Amino acid sequence: MKRLGKMVLGAALVAGAFGAVPATAATAAGGVSIMLDSYPLPFPVAPAVMNGTTMVPFRAISEALGIPVGWNQAAKQITATSTDSAGAVKKVVLTLGKAQASVNGASVKLAVAPQNISGTTMIPLSFFSQQFGAAVSWDQASKTVSITSPKKDLYTLGFYAQGAYGEVSLIPGFDAVAFGWSRIDRSGAFTTTGTEFRWPQPAGDVTPESIVRDSAAKGTAPYLMVYSGDKELELTKNMKDLALQQQTIDSIVGTATSKSFGGIALDLEGLGMTGDKALAQSEYNAFVKKLSASAKTAGLKLTVILHPLNSSYKGYDYKTLGTLADDLVIMAYDYNNETGPEPMNKVDEAIRLALQQTGKDKLLLGISVYNETDKTVNAKIGLAKRYGLKGIAIWRLGLIGTPTWNEMGQTVELQ
């Protein structure tokens, strides 16, 4: 990806912030909460205040920021190694009881030596922010430490559908874009015509084909998105009619290949709300297995877009689908029927449930910017970063807007 630069660190802010916390040697920081990207960060041991310095569990906060941590029992040392968005590596070594840290071999003085509290290594929060690029602020009234994670290079998928052309200029900012120009129709057959999710008409020199070509030429992988709901059992019909299903698979792969797409984004929704949920999963697994094999033969990638596991739709087997697809999108939205920003606890739960079924390197967190604002979108991206997911999937171009796009660029690398 192209680099847009680094985040400004919040070290100067931190230096004076924690003097406001009552200074009592080795006391619990009663009532102090820590927020990472606007969402609570749980700790095995509560933050503590030592000689006016707020101490936090090193491993918990490091791992939440994706920084690997190692422990040397004999030397009583904890080591963290990070790589920033520019590829620079930083190795930090801390020793229990020693007020000197090693940063890439150089000695750095600590305000308070690392301590072992209830089996957890605690370090000064201000030191952490300075060394690992996390901006930190303190709110005295609520006794809240707010941490903003550094910008990270995540895989980014954007969705493009009718009404998206106004933001066509944003396509190069994504690693991949899924063009929603096809669907399963009411008869259960694949089509690129109809009233929605249809192949667009040319507008002068601008054609759907030229948009796809331009995307690929500028480094954004174009995917053909195939949509279906199941309100009229059109998807169920396709799952049960094997001849129709094979025609659908052949048409999807044939269209993707002939129109120069690099992959397929499968967005077949509505399975498993009622009826035999295990059967729905089995049938869908069989469909995706056939499509995956055909796509692979044609040199196409496959992304499967799924309802979250804490939704009402239970027809999706993340564990099996994760073995068949290149990645899975968790549609962690519409919990509030599109009435506002998604509840963070529901999005968090959706991620944790998915991680019980498949690896983090397979998962993209779906975010609907229609429901979010420029003030809330980065909190969702922060959860993707916290859990080390492969990336994010943004629904959709045409709805993003400049304020939200700019905010996203503060936390994730956009091309």
PDB file of all heavy atoms in Angstrom, residues 357-390:
ATOM      1  N   GLN A 357     -14.596 -19.638  15.561  1.00  0.00           N
ATOM      2  CA  GLN A 357     -14.846 -20.538  14.443  1.00  0.00           C
ATOM      3  C   GLN A 357     -13.752 -20.539  13.376  1.00  0.00           C
ATOM      4  O   GLN A 357     -13.570 -21.530  12.669  1.00  0.00           O
ATOM      5  CB  GLN A 357     -16.177 -20.176  13.779  1.00  0.00           C
ATOM      6  CG  GLN A 357     -17.377 -20.224  14.701  1.00  0.00           C
ATOM      7  CD  GLN A 357     -17.632 -21.615  15.253  1.00  0.00           C
ATOM      8  OE1 GLN A 357     -17.544 -22.598  14.524  1.00  0.00           O
ATOM      9  NE2 GLN A 357     -17.925 -21.709  16.544  1.00  0.00           N
ATOM     10  N   THR A 358     -13.038 -19.417  13.243  1.00  0.00           N
ATOM     11  CA  THR A 358     -12.019 -19.322  12.190  1.00  0.00           C
ATOM     12  C   THR A 358     -10.926 -18.360  12.607  1.00  0.00           C
ATOM     13  O   THR A 358     -11.075 -17.629  13.602  1.00  0.00           O
ATOM     14  CB  THR A 358     -12.661 -18.875  10.856  1.00  0.00           C
ATOM     15  OG1 THR A 358     -11.726 -19.071   9.793  1.00  0.00           O
ATOM     16  CG2 THR A 358     -13.090 -17.421  10.904  1.00  0.00           C
ATOM     17  N   GLY A 359      -9.831 -18.337  11.873  1.00  0.00           N
ATOM     18  CA  GLY A 359      -8.676 -17.530  12.236  1.00  0.00           C
ATOM     19  C   GLY A 359      -8.860 -16.057  11.923  1.00  0.00           C
ATOM     20  O   GLY A 359      -9.585 -15.682  10.996  1.00  0.00           O
ATOM     21  N   LYS A 360      -8.168 -15.220  12.677  1.00  0.00           N
ATOM     22  CA  LYS A 360      -8.277 -13.773  12.497  1.00  0.00           C
ATOM     23  C   LYS A 360      -7.775 -13.321  11.130  1.00  0.00           C
ATOM     24  O   LYS A 360      -8.226 -12.298  10.605  1.00  0.00           O
ATOM     25  CB  LYS A 360      -7.511 -13.051  13.601  1.00  0.00           C
ATOM     26  CG  LYS A 360      -6.010 -13.355  13.647  1.00  0.00           C
ATOM     27  CD  LYS A 360      -5.365 -12.702  14.857  1.00  0.00           C
ATOM     28  CE  LYS A 360      -3.876 -13.012  14.911  1.00  0.00           C
ATOM     29  NZ  LYS A 360      -3.230 -12.402  16.113  1.00  0.00           N
ATOM     30  N   ASP A 361      -6.857 -14.080  10.537  1.00  0.00           N
ATOM     31  CA  ASP A 361      -6.317 -13.714   9.231  1.00  0.00           C
ATOM     32  C   ASP A 361      -7.311 -13.960   8.093  1.00  0.00           C
ATOM     33  O   ASP A 361      -7.059 -13.590   6.940  1.00  0.00           O
ATOM     34  CB  ASP A 361      -5.024 -14.476   8.947  1.00  0.00           C
ATOM     35  CG  ASP A 361      -5.204 -15.983   8.974  1.00  0.00           C
ATOM     36  OD1 ASP A 361      -6.121 -16.454   9.673  1.00  0.00           O
ATOM     37  OD2 ASP A 361      -4.438 -16.692   8.304  1.00  0.00           O
ATOM     38  N   LYS A 362      -8.456 -14.533   8.420  1.00  0.00           N
ATOM     39  CA  LYS A 362      -9.521 -14.761   7.436  1.00  0.00           C
ATOM     40  C   LYS A 362     -10.622 -13.700   7.529  1.00  0.00           C
ATOM     41  O   LYS A 362     -11.472 -13.631   6.632  1.00  0.00           O
ATOM     42  CB  LYS A 362     -10.166 -16.132   7.662  1.00  0.00           C
ATOM     43  CG  LYS A 362      -9.339 -17.302   7.212  1.00  0.00           C
ATOM     44  CD  LYS A 362      -9.485 -17.531   5.713  1.00  0.00           C
ATOM     45  CE  LYS A 362      -8.782 -18.799   5.267  1.00  0.00           C
ATOM     46  NZ  LYS A 362      -8.981 -19.057   3.827  1.00  0.00           N
ATOM     47  N   LEU A 363     -10.633 -12.905   8.568  1.00  0.00           N
ATOM     48  CA  LEU A 363     -11.804 -12.097   8.882  1.00  0.00           C
ATOM     49  C   LEU A 363     -11.641 -10.620   8.545  1.00  0.00           C
ATOM     50  O   LEU A 363     -10.632  -9.990   8.873  1.00  0.00           O
ATOM     51  CB  LEU A 363     -12.141 -12.229  10.369  1.00  0.00           C
ATOM     52  CG  LEU A 363     -12.602 -13.623  10.816  1.00  0.00           C
ATOM     53  CD1 LEU A 363     -12.712 -13.677  12.331  1.00  0.00           C
ATOM     54  CD2 LEU A 363     -13.939 -13.995  10.158  1.00  0.00           C
ATOM     55  N   LEU A 364     -12.676 -10.076   7.906  1.00  0.00           N
ATOM     56  CA  LEU A 364     -12.803  -8.644   7.676  1.00  0.00           C
ATOM     57  C   LEU A 364     -14.022  -8.159   8.453  1.00  0.00           C
ATOM     58  O   LEU A 364     -15.084  -8.781   8.382  1.00  0.00           O
ATOM     59  CB  LEU A 364     -13.002  -8.330   6.192  1.00  0.00           C
ATOM     60  CG  LEU A 364     -12.043  -8.942   5.171  1.00  0.00           C
ATOM     61  CD1 LEU A 364     -12.446  -8.508   3.764  1.00  0.00           C
ATOM     62  CD2 LEU A 364     -10.618  -8.545   5.458  1.00  0.00           C
ATOM     63  N   LEU A 365     -13.870  -7.066   9.170  1.00  0.00           N
ATOM     64  CA  LEU A 365     -15.007  -6.511   9.900  1.00  0.00           C
ATOM     65  C   LEU A 365     -15.802  -5.614   8.960  1.00  0.00           C
ATOM     66  O   LEU A 365     -15.300  -4.604   8.470  1.00  0.00           O
ATOM     67  CB  LEU A 365     -14.538  -5.713  11.112  1.00  0.00           C
ATOM     68  CG  LEU A 365     -15.673  -5.038  11.910  1.00  0.00           C
ATOM     69  CD1 LEU A 365     -16.619  -6.092  12.491  1.00  0.00           C
ATOM     70  CD2 LEU A 365     -15.113  -4.152  13.009  1.00  0.00           C
ATOM     71  N   GLY A 366     -17.060  -5.979   8.717  1.00  0.00           N
ATOM     72  CA  GLY A 366     -17.935  -5.160   7.891  1.00  0.00           C
ATOM     73  C   GLY A 366     -18.448  -3.965   8.684  1.00  0.00           C
ATOM     74  O   GLY A 366     -18.919  -4.120   9.818  1.00  0.00           O
ATOM     75  N   ILE A 367     -18.344  -2.785   8.096  1.00  0.00           N
ATOM     76  CA  ILE A 367     -18.785  -1.539   8.732  1.00  0.00           C
ATOM     77  C   ILE A 367     -19.680  -0.795   7.753  1.00  0.00           C
ATOM     78  O   ILE A 367     -19.270  -0.516   6.620  1.00  0.00           O
ATOM     79  CB  ILE A 367     -17.588  -0.656   9.118  1.00  0.00           C
ATOM     80  CG1 ILE A 367     -16.650  -1.399  10.067  1.00  0.00           C
ATOM     81  CG2 ILE A 367     -18.060   0.661   9.742  1.00  0.00           C
ATOM     82  CD1 ILE A 367     -15.313  -0.702  10.290  1.00  0.00           C
ATOM     83  N   SER A 368     -20.896  -0.476   8.169  1.00  0.00           N
ATOM     84  CA  SER A 368     -21.803   0.292   7.330  1.00  0.00           C
ATOM     85  C   SER A 368     -21.684   1.767   7.695  1.00  0.00           C
ATOM     86  O   SER A 368     -22.122   2.182   8.765  1.00  0.00           O
ATOM     87  CB  SER A 368     -23.252  -0.171   7.523  1.00  0.00           C
ATOM     88  OG  SER A 368     -24.143   0.709   6.855  1.00  0.00           O
ATOM     89  N   VAL A 369     -21.094   2.551   6.806  1.00  0.00           N
ATOM     90  CA  VAL A 369     -20.954   3.980   7.105  1.00  0.00           C
ATOM     91  C   VAL A 369     -22.300   4.697   7.014  1.00  0.00           C
ATOM     92  O   VAL A 369     -22.421   5.839   7.462  1.00  0.00           O
ATOM     93  CB  VAL A 369     -19.921   4.674   6.189  1.00  0.00           C
ATOM     94  CG1 VAL A 369     -18.528   4.126   6.450  1.00  0.00           C
ATOM     95  CG2 VAL A 369     -20.286   4.525   4.723  1.00  0.00           C
ATOM     96  N   TYR A 370     -23.315   4.038   6.466  1.00  0.00           N
ATOM     97  CA  TYR A 370     -24.662   4.603   6.480  1.00  0.00           C
ATOM     98  C   TYR A 370     -25.149   4.757   7.916  1.00  0.00           C
ATOM     99  O   TYR A 370     -25.861   5.703   8.251  1.00  0.00           O
ATOM    100  CB  TYR A 370     -25.618   3.707   5.693  1.00  0.00           C
ATOM    101  CG  TYR A 370     -27.040   4.221   5.649  1.00  0.00           C
ATOM    102  CD1 TYR A 370     -27.404   5.230   4.765  1.00  0.00           C
ATOM    103  CD2 TYR A 370     -28.017   3.692   6.497  1.00  0.00           C
ATOM    104  CE1 TYR A 370     -28.709   5.714   4.729  1.00  0.00           C
ATOM    105  CE2 TYR A 370     -29.318   4.166   6.473  1.00  0.00           C
ATOM    106  CZ  TYR A 370     -29.658   5.177   5.583  1.00  0.00           C
ATOM    107  OH  TYR A 370     -30.958   5.653   5.568  1.00  0.00           O
ATOM    108  N   ASN A 371     -24.740   3.817   8.776  1.00  0.00           N
ATOM    109  CA  ASN A 371     -25.164   3.838  10.169  1.00  0.00           C
ATOM    110  C   ASN A 371     -24.206   4.605  11.072  1.00  0.00           C
ATOM    111  O   ASN A 371     -24.590   5.015  12.165  1.00  0.00           O
ATOM    112  CB  ASN A 371     -25.301   2.408  10.699  1.00  0.00           C
ATOM    113  CG  ASN A 371     -26.289   1.579   9.908  1.00  0.00           C
ATOM    114  OD1 ASN A 371     -27.184   2.111   9.264  1.00  0.00           O
ATOM    115  ND2 ASN A 371     -26.121   0.260   9.944  1.00  0.00           N
ATOM    116  N   GLU A 372     -22.958   4.755  10.640  1.00  0.00           N
ATOM    117  CA  GLU A 372     -21.948   5.396  11.476  1.00  0.00           C
ATOM    118  C   GLU A 372     -21.800   6.875  11.128  1.00  0.00           C
ATOM    119  O   GLU A 372     -22.391   7.373  10.172  1.00  0.00           O
ATOM    120  CB  GLU A 372     -20.604   4.682  11.295  1.00  0.00           C
ATOM    121  CG  GLU A 372     -20.623   3.203  11.617  1.00  0.00           C
ATOM    122  CD  GLU A 372     -20.990   2.883  13.060  1.00  0.00           C
ATOM    123  OE1 GLU A 372     -20.706   3.709  13.954  1.00  0.00           O
ATOM    124  OE2 GLU A 372     -21.569   1.811  13.298  1.00  0.00           O
ATOM    125  N   THR A 373     -21.005   7.569  11.918  1.00  0.00           N
ATOM    126  CA  THR A 373     -20.648   8.961  11.659  1.00  0.00           C
ATOM    127  C   THR A 373     -19.133   9.073  11.655  1.00  0.00           C
ATOM    128  O   THR A 373     -18.422   8.120  12.000  1.00  0.00           O
ATOM    129  CB  THR A 373     -21.205   9.901  12.740  1.00  0.00           C
ATOM    130  OG1 THR A 373     -20.477   9.687  13.973  1.00  0.00           O
ATOM    131  CG2 THR A 373     -22.686   9.631  13.004  1.00  0.00           C
ATOM    132  N   ASP A 374     -18.642  10.247  11.295  1.00  0.00           N
ATOM    133  CA  ASP A 374     -17.193  10.440  11.341  1.00  0.00           C
ATOM    134  C   ASP A 374     -16.670  10.352  12.766  1.00  0.00           C
ATOM    135  O   ASP A 374     -15.473  10.154  12.975  1.00  0.00           O
ATOM    136  CB  ASP A 374     -16.819  11.788  10.707  1.00  0.00           C
ATOM    137  CG  ASP A 374     -17.471  12.961  11.412  1.00  0.00           C
ATOM    138  OD1 ASP A 374     -18.708  12.967  11.538  1.00  0.00           O
ATOM    139  OD2 ASP A 374     -16.755  13.881  11.836  1.00  0.00           O
ATOM    140  N   LYS A 375     -17.561  10.452  13.764  1.00  0.00           N
ATOM    141  CA  LYS A 375     -17.141  10.367  15.165  1.00  0.00           C
ATOM    142  C   LYS A 375     -17.140   8.933  15.698  1.00  0.00           C
ATOM    143  O   LYS A 375     -16.580   8.668  16.759  1.00  0.00           O
ATOM    144  CB  LYS A 375     -18.067  11.222  16.048  1.00  0.00           C
ATOM    145  CG  LYS A 375     -18.212  12.666  15.609  1.00  0.00           C
ATOM    146  CD  LYS A 375     -16.891  13.405  15.594  1.00  0.00           C
ATOM    147  CE  LYS A 375     -17.077  14.856  15.183  1.00  0.00           C
ATOM    148  NZ  LYS A 375     -15.780  15.561  15.027  1.00  0.00           N
ATOM    149  N   THR A 376     -17.802   8.015  14.980  1.00  0.00           N
ATOM    150  CA  THR A 376     -17.929   6.650  15.504  1.00  0.00           C
ATOM    151  C   THR A 376     -17.241   5.583  14.658  1.00  0.00           C
ATOM    152  O   THR A 376     -17.000   4.480  15.137  1.00  0.00           O
ATOM    153  CB  THR A 376     -19.411   6.263  15.636  1.00  0.00           C
ATOM    154  OG1 THR A 376     -20.031   6.235  14.329  1.00  0.00           O
ATOM    155  CG2 THR A 376     -20.156   7.258  16.523  1.00  0.00           C
ATOM    156  N   VAL A 377     -16.926   5.899  13.393  1.00  0.00           N
ATOM    157  CA  VAL A 377     -16.412   4.858  12.505  1.00  0.00           C
ATOM    158  C   VAL A 377     -15.079   4.297  12.979  1.00  0.00           C
ATOM    159  O   VAL A 377     -14.824   3.083  12.874  1.00  0.00           O
ATOM    160  CB  VAL A 377     -16.312   5.393  11.058  1.00  0.00           C
ATOM    161  CG1 VAL A 377     -15.270   6.489  10.929  1.00  0.00           C
ATOM    162  CG2 VAL A 377     -16.022   4.255  10.082  1.00  0.00           C
ATOM    163  N   ASN A 378     -14.225   5.143  13.557  1.00  0.00           N
ATOM    164  CA  ASN A 378     -12.908   4.657  13.958  1.00  0.00           C
ATOM    165  C   ASN A 378     -12.952   3.743  15.171  1.00  0.00           C
ATOM    166  O   ASN A 378     -12.032   2.952  15.397  1.00  0.00           O
ATOM    167  CB  ASN A 378     -11.956   5.824  14.202  1.00  0.00           C
ATOM    168  CG  ASN A 378     -11.404   6.391  12.916  1.00  0.00           C
ATOM    169  OD1 ASN A 378     -11.677   5.875  11.839  1.00  0.00           O
ATOM    170  ND2 ASN A 378     -10.632   7.463  13.010  1.00  0.00           N
ATOM    171  N   ALA A 379     -14.019   3.835  15.953  1.00  0.00           N
ATOM    172  CA  ALA A 379     -14.160   2.908  17.073  1.00  0.00           C
ATOM    173  C   ALA A 379     -14.350   1.491  16.549  1.00  0.00           C
ATOM    174  O   ALA A 379     -13.813   0.528  17.107  1.00  0.00           O
ATOM    175  CB  ALA A 379     -15.331   3.319  17.965  1.00  0.00           C
ATOM    176  N   LYS A 380     -15.117   1.352  15.458  1.00  0.00           N
ATOM    177  CA  LYS A 380     -15.311   0.033  14.859  1.00  0.00           C
ATOM    178  C   LYS A 380     -14.005  -0.471  14.256  1.00  0.00           C
ATOM    179  O   LYS A 380     -13.617  -1.630  14.427  1.00  0.00           O
ATOM    180  CB  LYS A 380     -16.390   0.087  13.774  1.00  0.00           C
ATOM    181  CG  LYS A 380     -17.827  -0.086  14.245  1.00  0.00           C
ATOM    182  CD  LYS A 380     -18.255   0.854  15.319  1.00  0.00           C
ATOM    183  CE  LYS A 380     -19.694   0.667  15.745  1.00  0.00           C
ATOM    184  NZ  LYS A 380     -20.200   1.870  16.441  1.00  0.00           N
ATOM    185  N   ILE A 381     -13.310   0.412  13.539  1.00  0.00           N
ATOM    186  CA  ILE A 381     -12.015   0.023  12.967  1.00  0.00           C
ATOM    187  C   ILE A 381     -11.055  -0.374  14.090  1.00  0.00           C
ATOM    188  O   ILE A 381     -10.261  -1.312  13.957  1.00  0.00           O
ATOM    189  CB  ILE A 381     -11.432   1.161  12.120  1.00  0.00           C
ATOM    190  CG1 ILE A 381     -12.344   1.444  10.912  1.00  0.00           C
ATOM    191  CG2 ILE A 381     -10.025   0.813  11.632  1.00  0.00           C
ATOM    192  CD1 ILE A 381     -11.922   2.643  10.081  1.00  0.00           C
ATOM    193  N   GLY A 382     -11.158   0.331  15.211  1.00  0.00           N
ATOM    194  CA  GLY A 382     -10.308   0.014  16.354  1.00  0.00           C
ATOM    195  C   GLY A 382     -10.508  -1.406  16.847  1.00  0.00           C
ATOM    196  O   GLY A 382      -9.548  -2.059  17.283  1.00  0.00           O
ATOM    197  N   LEU A 383     -11.736  -1.916  16.804  1.00  0.00           N
ATOM    198  CA  LEU A 383     -11.975  -3.301  17.208  1.00  0.00           C
ATOM    199  C   LEU A 383     -11.310  -4.278  16.245  1.00  0.00           C
ATOM    200  O   LEU A 383     -10.761  -5.301  16.666  1.00  0.00           O
ATOM    201  CB  LEU A 383     -13.477  -3.582  17.285  1.00  0.00           C
ATOM    202  CG  LEU A 383     -14.212  -3.031  18.502  1.00  0.00           C
ATOM    203  CD1 LEU A 383     -15.699  -3.347  18.415  1.00  0.00           C
ATOM    204  CD2 LEU A 383     -13.632  -3.597  19.802  1.00  0.00           C
ATOM    205  N   ALA A 384     -11.343  -3.975  14.953  1.00  0.00           N
ATOM    206  CA  ALA A 384     -10.655  -4.829  13.980  1.00  0.00           C
ATOM    207  C   ALA A 384      -9.161  -4.864  14.277  1.00  0.00           C
ATOM    208  O   ALA A 384      -8.513  -5.918  14.198  1.00  0.00           O
ATOM    209  CB  ALA A 384     -10.913  -4.331  12.564  1.00  0.00           C
ATOM    210  N   LYS A 385      -8.607  -3.718  14.633  1.00  0.00           N
ATOM    211  CA  LYS A 385      -7.183  -3.649  14.967  1.00  0.00           C
ATOM    212  C   LYS A 385      -6.900  -4.383  16.273  1.00  0.00           C
ATOM    213  O   LYS A 385      -5.907  -5.113  16.395  1.00  0.00           O
ATOM    214  CB  LYS A 385      -6.764  -2.184  15.070  1.00  0.00           C
ATOM    215  CG  LYS A 385      -6.822  -1.438  13.740  1.00  0.00           C
ATOM    216  CD  LYS A 385      -6.838   0.055  13.915  1.00  0.00           C
ATOM    217  CE  LYS A 385      -5.532   0.612  14.424  1.00  0.00           C
ATOM    218  NZ  LYS A 385      -5.566   2.100  14.468  1.00  0.00           N
ATOM    219  N   ARG A 386      -7.764  -4.192  17.257  1.00  0.00           N
ATOM    220  CA  ARG A 386      -7.543  -4.801  18.576  1.00  0.00           C
ATOM    221  C   ARG A 386      -7.479  -6.323  18.488  1.00  0.00           C
ATOM    222  O   ARG A 386      -6.660  -6.966  19.163  1.00  0.00           O
ATOM    223  CB  ARG A 386      -8.669  -4.385  19.529  1.00  0.00           C
ATOM    224  CG  ARG A 386      -8.515  -4.928  20.936  1.00  0.00           C
ATOM    225  CD  ARG A 386      -9.680  -4.568  21.840  1.00  0.00           C
ATOM    226  NE  ARG A 386      -9.923  -3.140  21.969  1.00  0.00           N
ATOM    227  CZ  ARG A 386     -10.626  -2.593  22.957  1.00  0.00           C
ATOM    228  NH1 ARG A 386     -11.131  -3.375  23.910  1.00  0.00           N
ATOM    229  NH2 ARG A 386     -10.831  -1.295  23.014  1.00  0.00           N
ATOM    230  N   TYR A 387      -8.343  -6.898  17.659  1.00  0.00           N
ATOM    231  CA  TYR A 387      -8.378  -8.361  17.549  1.00  0.00           C
ATOM    232  C   TYR A 387      -7.452  -8.886  16.456  1.00  0.00           C
ATOM    233  O   TYR A 387      -7.411 -10.105  16.218  1.00  0.00           O
ATOM    234  CB  TYR A 387      -9.804  -8.834  17.293  1.00  0.00           C
ATOM    235  CG  TYR A 387     -10.690  -8.753  18.521  1.00  0.00           C
ATOM    236  CD1 TYR A 387     -11.607  -7.726  18.680  1.00  0.00           C
ATOM    237  CD2 TYR A 387     -10.585  -9.698  19.539  1.00  0.00           C
ATOM    238  CE1 TYR A 387     -12.417  -7.640  19.803  1.00  0.00           C
ATOM    239  CE2 TYR A 387     -11.378  -9.635  20.667  1.00  0.00           C
ATOM    240  CZ  TYR A 387     -12.299  -8.595  20.794  1.00  0.00           C
ATOM    241  OH  TYR A 387     -13.096  -8.521  21.915  1.00  0.00           O
ATOM    242  N   GLY A 388      -6.723  -7.998  15.803  1.00  0.00           N
ATOM    243  CA  GLY A 388      -5.763  -8.432  14.789  1.00  0.00           C
ATOM    244  C   GLY A 388      -6.400  -9.021  13.553  1.00  0.00           C
ATOM    245  O   GLY A 388      -5.812  -9.903  12.907  1.00  0.00           O
ATOM    246  N   LEU A 389      -7.613  -8.540  13.188  1.00  0.00           N
ATOM    247  CA  LEU A 389      -8.284  -9.071  12.010  1.00  0.00           C
ATOM    248  C   LEU A 389      -7.523  -8.704  10.734  1.00  0.00           C
ATOM    249  O   LEU A 389      -6.753  -7.752  10.713  1.00  0.00           O
ATOM    250  CB  LEU A 389      -9.715  -8.536  11.926  1.00  0.00           C
ATOM    251  CG  LEU A 389     -10.629  -8.780  13.127  1.00  0.00           C
ATOM    252  CD1 LEU A 389     -12.064  -8.384  12.776  1.00  0.00           C
ATOM    253  CD2 LEU A 389     -10.568 -10.220  13.613  1.00  0.00           C
ATOM    254  N   LYS A 390      -7.791  -9.439   9.681  1.00  0.00           N
ATOM    255  CA  LYS A 390      -7.146  -9.169   8.401  1.00  0.00           C
ATOM    256  C   LYS A 390      -7.438  -7.759   7.925  1.00  0.00           C
ATOM    257  O   LYS A 390      -6.571  -7.087   7.357  1.00  0.00           O
ATOM    258  CB  LYS A 390      -7.617 -10.182   7.361  1.00  0.00           C
ATOM    259  CG  LYS A 390      -7.066  -9.945   5.961  1.00  0.00           C
ATOM    260  CD  LYS A 390      -7.528 -11.013   4.980  1.00  0.00           C
ATOM    261  CE  LYS A 390      -6.999 -10.765   3.573  1.00  0.00           C
ATOM    262  NZ  LYS A 390      -7.408 -11.841   2.638  1.00  0.00           N
TER     263      LYS A 390
END
